[in-house]
Every structure is written in structure tokens, then in C-alpha cells.
């Protein structure tokens, strides 16, 4: 499921290298270990299954660029029922990683829209989410596991009920 091509030029003078990788039906569960090998940190309390297709390239003179499609993803979040994502597009844009808007199907037929941007240059993380109705406890558990941050104080004080609206988190 993985093909890698590595090119090296001018090795004895000024080395120039280029790495091109493609993946097809790569099990999602292998991504955290691969990401760790290149210095990225995934939320450790979130486990998932599904597959990844895509490609990226990285060169000594260029930042990483690429695009991946995550398919049939099941996320297991602590203290919450599994969530399902049919398709999600992730892009490496040279400055970081971007999750394009994706629909997370939660138990009970509820949905959560999520988009995220991580800038590797300064570590900034922006997560946007919205829903038309989700049990408060389910939302808080998923949010904490995925972002490793707490939700705003008014929501943490809620014991029951549902949340409807949008929330944006910026970590700079």
C-alpha cells in the first residue's frame, strides 16, 4: 500500500534530495506511528480505523506538499460512542496540515462538521466545529480527546442538554 521514491543529486557538493510517497488503502491505524517518525504528534487517546489514499512530495528546497483522502473512518474517543467519517480530505500545503470541512456522524444520527488547520512553522492550531444538535457530554468528550483542550467554561458546567451552534478554537 506504500510506494516511496527517493532521489539524491550532487551528493558530494550540495546534496539535493526529493522524496515522493504514494499510499493506497493504507490502514489509518498506522498513521500515528508514521507521523511520530517525522516529528508530528497525534492525539494519543484517539484510536481509529479506516483507510488512506494519497501522495506527497518533499524536497530539500521545498516544503512538504500533498493530499490524502481518509475513507470509512471510525474514531474511538474515550467516554464517547464511536464516530464515523465517510470521507475527509487532508492537505499538506507547505506550511502545515489542513483538514478540509468534514462531516463526523455521531451516534443517534447526529452530525458534527469539523475543519482544522495546523501550521508547523509556529505550532498554531485552529479547529472549527458546528452542529445542529449534539448531546453536551458527547461533544465535550470528543472535543477534549481531539484537541487536548477544554471547551469554554459555560459548556463544562452543563451536565445535560444539547449543544447547537459553532465553536472555534485557536491555539497560538
Amino acid at each position: 500500500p506504500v510506494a516511496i521514491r527517493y532521489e539524491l543529486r550532487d551528493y558530494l557538493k550540495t546534496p539535493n534530495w526529493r522524496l515522493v510517497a504514494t499510499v493506497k488503502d493504507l490502514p489509518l491505524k498506522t498513521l500515528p506511528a508514521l507521523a511520530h517518525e517525522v516529528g508530528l504528534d497525534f492525539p494519543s487517546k484517539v484510536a481509529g480505523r479506516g483507510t488512506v489514499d494519497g501522495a506527497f512530495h518533499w524536497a530539500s528546497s521545498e516544503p512538504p506538499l500533498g493530499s490524502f483522502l481518509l475513507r470509512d473512518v471510525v474514531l474511538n474517543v474515550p467516554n464517547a460512542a464511536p464516530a464515523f467519517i465517510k470521507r475527509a480530505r487532508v492537505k499538506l500545503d507547505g506550511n502545515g496540515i489542513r483538514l478540509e470541512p468534514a462531516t463526523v456522524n455521531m451516534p443517534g444520527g447526529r452530525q458534527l462538521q469539523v475543519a482544522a488547520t495546523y501550521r508547523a512553522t509556529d505550532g498554531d492550531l485552529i479547529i472549527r466545529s458546528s452542529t445542529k444538535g449534539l448531546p453536551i457530554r458527547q461533544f465535550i468528550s470528543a472535543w477534549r480527546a481531539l484537541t487536548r483542550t477544554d471547551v469554554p467554561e459555560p459548556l463544562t458546567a452543563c451536565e445535560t442538554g444539547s449543544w447547537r451552534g459553532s465553536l472555534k478554537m485557536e491555539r497560538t
Side-chain angles (χ1 to χ4, degrees):
V2 178
I4 297 175
R5 188 175 79 223
Y6 184 74
E7 300 170 6
L8 180 61
R9 295 186 184 147
D10 297 327
Y11 178 71
L12 298 176
K13 294 180 184 179
T14 306
N16 290 307
W17 55 267
R18 178 180 167 95
L19 174 75
V20 177
T22 58
V23 296
K24 178 74 174 160
D25 296 325
L26 181 72
L28 183 66
K29 65 182 179 183
T30 62
L31 282 186
L34 291 173
H36 180 72
E37 290 296 321
V38 296
L40 298 175
D41 187 24
F42 270 52
S44 60
K45 293 183 180 178
V46 177
R49 60 184 188 275
T51 59
V52 180
D53 298 332
F56 80 96
H57 73 271
W58 191 3
S60 55
S61 60
E62 302 171 19
L65 299 170
S67 179
F68 297 92
L69 178 64
L70 284 62
R71 293 182 290 117
D72 301 322
V73 175
V74 178
L75 291 176
N76 298 309
V77 178
N79 304 316
F84 179 74
I85 303 170
K86 181 69 178 161
R87 297 167 58 96
R89 176 75 58 191
V90 177
K91 293 193 174 183
L92 303 175
D93 64 8
N95 294 320
I97 301 170
R98 185 174 71 244
L99 169 66
E100 294 187 342
T103 300
V104 181
N105 295 294
M106 308 295 279
R110 294 179 171 91
Q111 293 183 330
L112 181 67
Q113 301 294 322
V114 178
T117 302
Y118 172 75
R119 288 198 308 254
T121 52
D122 53 18
D124 287 358
L125 174 66
I126 300 169
I127 299 175
R128 292 178 176 84
S129 66
S130 64
T131 184
K132 293 181 180 175
L134 194 62
I136 248 342
R137 287 203 172 275
Q138 192 176 28
F139 172 74
I140 290 173
S141 178
W143 183 267
R144 285 177 175 159
L146 294 170
T147 68
R148 290 185 247 159
T149 63
D150 216 341
V151 295
E153 188 62 36
L155 288 177
T156 58
C158 297
E159 293 290 323
T160 61
S162 63
W163 171 68
R164 176 179 26 201
S166 60
L167 184 62
K168 176 181 175 184
M169 190 269 302
E170 292 188 33
R171 184 181 71 202
T172 57

